[in-house]
Amino acid sequence: MRPEILFPLFAPVTTLKGVASRTAPLLERVVGGALVRDVLFTAPANLVRRRQTTVADAQDGETQILLLVVNDHQRPGRANLPWKIRCRDDTGFINLVWFKGHGPHLEQRYPSGTALAVSGKVERTDFGLQIVHPDYMLPAARAGDIPQSEAVYPATQGLPSRSIRRFALEALERAPAMPEWQDPAWLERQRWPAWRAALETLHNPVGQQDLLPEAPARRRLAFDELLAHQLALAQRKRERRIQPAAAIEPSALADRVEGALPFRLTGAQVRALSEIRGDLKAGQRMTRLIQGDVGSGKTVVAMLAMADAAAAGLQSALMAPTEILARQHFETLQAPLAAEGVRAVLLTGRDKGAARAEKLGLLADGSAAVAVGTHALFQDDVVFSALALTVIDEQHRFGVGERSRLQAKGESTHLLAMSATPIPRTLELTVFGDLDVSRLDEKPPGRKPVATRASPMSRLPEIVRRLSQAVSGGAQAFWICPLVSESETVDLAAAEARAAALAKVFGTRVGLIHGKLTGPQKDAVMADFAENRLSVLVATTVVEVGVNVPNASIMIIEQAERFGLAQLHQLRGRVGRGAAESSCVLLYDPPLSEIATRRLDILRRTDDGFEIAEKDLELRGGGDPLGLKQSGFPAYRLADAAAHRDLIAVAADDARLILARDPGLTSPRGQAVRVLQELFDWRPAGLSEAG
Ligand code: ADP
Ligand code: MG
């Protein structure tokens, strides 16, 4: 039940004066919601200051206030010319200018001799001074009504900043004083205002400093939002912890699988596995994320957890976003598990008829303990006899619904998600606050850094020449063509043209792979590349995730400036997995923007996905760093994930403390905290929904 104190803020925007059926949709778009609260939480982006002046002293380009008398109206000679009112003060003349047929109405309303207080941006032109579409025109006696400084709101066609400001100030009037949900000692130490006072300052900034993210009022409001979010995440985590699930013990079988591997686990893998085992044997549902760079060895860890499940007579399912990946996972798992008598099946959209029926039979009667596959795994007729563990690779690539449908196939299945999207450490709590996270922050030994350089497109001939030398020495290369246009057909044509051009040099040792190929076609091309029948694989970003071809040592990325840093990092991670020295060439179309230059530079300097993500965040600031929305990254209204990131961990600690002391939120502060939660109405997206 929503507390009564919030009712005025949860009224629809149409209850604000002047918001009619025409304006409502525009306003809702600008403020990102349909409630008075959403208007209240829309912060001004800027501030205009108005100085009163005279015509003689008016500054070109500044918004100023002038006390004027209407001299005469200058009708346009032709229909599409503007209407002008010539005005004067004691020091000179200035024109007020209107486009689009306001004329006759203006003439009636402001006859010659009318004394006016006018404000707007003054411009000096060849025809003298002018103000186009003044923002205030009042009787001279009301000059004092023109605000000296005024907040500028994000606006849209048909809904100017001024209207939004009026709605925001009305929303502010409706905002009640709230019971304090923050710890008073903490507020005092930060010197932050109370909630309502902070909103007053938000909407009535007096100087530029009030608009900065570090302004006390803005930090207070940001912290409220972060706390509301962290509370929601912490509550989810607590709830999930108390759901029972099969207790799975570490097994000798998994140890034997591990012992038979041609390598030893890294320290990070050992840690992740023991964290997973700790969860699995507790008898409560696991929700754990393994975060690790490409090539950090996530699959092996998942396989050993699946072996534990199999040893307990239970089934697991590993879901991958593409067929190529599903196949690769299957190839990784199948032999080591089979050696211990654990049967795995691969199920993709390609399995049809009798072959598919046979696989479904093996899963339904439990003779296959492990299923690896794509979306095909959660179709209705796929039935497990005892599904206890769901593993999801590249979790952000799946929708919430898809994940939960797979999980629903088991009674209460443990969830292990894997992600190679490096989330900056400082944001981990924001994105994954409701999950347990294991980090694979150590690469398997022997991986050499990939020598990376940026090169303008004009150097293409030289690059091809060097590639050709490397290829004659046995090297293999990926050549990535980005998806840049809206049309896949156009992009595909670009990739085809590149493949054709390279074929002139490399003949039949060039392959092409892209999203429009059928599954078997893709597999055939991948197999040719993996088995070194192809030297150069031209690809659109289908190779983005997971694909493992250890002999490939060269990565060439065209129009690298179009990719996000995280994506470039992942692409580069496709090479440098084998014994050979590897290299990555980032081709770009000059001129590079300053940001693009710095991003490519970061990539050249470091190889650590977490560090790259952190730097990228610094460069890009707030908004949607790294395209994280799809990974469950929340869209904050008042907090800025970059500018306020120092507050995230504090909010997380605070949330934990509040819940530990008062799990039912019944104390006075608990009650206030409930109001806060309702106010922000958090429904975090992401993995959590699967639970
Ligand atoms: P990720 O999924 O994290 O990108 P993978 O699990 O696909 O990484 O592992 C990449 C490659 O590294 C695979 O060929 C795998 O067999 C190998 N590998 C995994 N762990 C180790 C290790 N500890 N030592 C050496 N090689 C490893
Ligand atoms: Mg992988």
Side-chain angles (χ1 to χ4, degrees), residues 366-407:
S367 30
V370 169
V372 178
T374 55
H375 302 69
L377 280 177
F378 53 73
Q379 303 199 337
D380 285 341
D381 59 347
V382 181
V383 176
F384 292 84
S385 66
L387 181 64
L389 170 63
T390 304
V391 182
I392 298 180
D393 192 20
E394 305 297 341
Q395 56 90 13
H396 63 279
R397 307 249 309 206
F398 291 98
V400 167
E402 294 171 322
R403 297 193 292 250
S404 50
R405 256 182 295 166
L406 182 56
Q407 280 216 294

Side-chain angles (χ1 to χ4, degrees), residues 502-523:
L502 291 171
K504 293 205 178 105
V505 182
F506 300 98
T508 56
R509 293 196 57 92
V510 176
L512 172 64
I513 189 166
H514 54 77
K516 287 254 171 100
L517 294 183
T518 65
Q521 288 170 327
K522 277 186 219 164
D523 288 351

Side-chain angles (χ1 to χ4, degrees), residues 263-266 269 293-300 444-445 447 548 577:
F263 48 75
R264 301 196 31 203
L265 297 186
T266 64
Q269 284 171 317
D293 245 336
V294 270
S296 58
K298 297 182 287 291
T299 315
V300 174
R447 300 269 162 86
N548 194 23
R577 293 181 165 208

Side-chain angles (χ1 to χ4, degrees), residues 491-505:
D491 286 327
L492 196 50
E496 275 164 352
R498 177 62 61 217
L502 291 171
K504 293 205 178 105
V505 182

Side-chain angles (χ1 to χ4, degrees), residues 390-450:
T390 304
V391 182
I392 298 180
D393 192 20
E394 305 297 341
Q395 56 90 13
H396 63 279
R397 307 249 309 206
F398 291 98
V400 167
E402 294 171 322
R403 297 193 292 250
S404 50
R405 256 182 295 166
L406 182 56
Q407 280 216 294
K409 291 194 180 290
E411 211 152 279
S412 172
T413 58
H414 296 287
L415 176 66
L416 181 62
M418 306 195 281
S419 171
T421 304
I423 303 293
R425 237 170 270 268
T426 40
L427 291 189
E428 192 174 279
L429 282 166
T430 312
V431 185
F432 302 127
D434 58 341
L435 305 177
D436 295 303
V437 180
S438 297
R439 268 172 181 267
L440 293 187
D441 49 10
E442 185 183 340
K443 297 224 167 109
R447 300 269 162 86
K448 298 191 188 111
V450 179

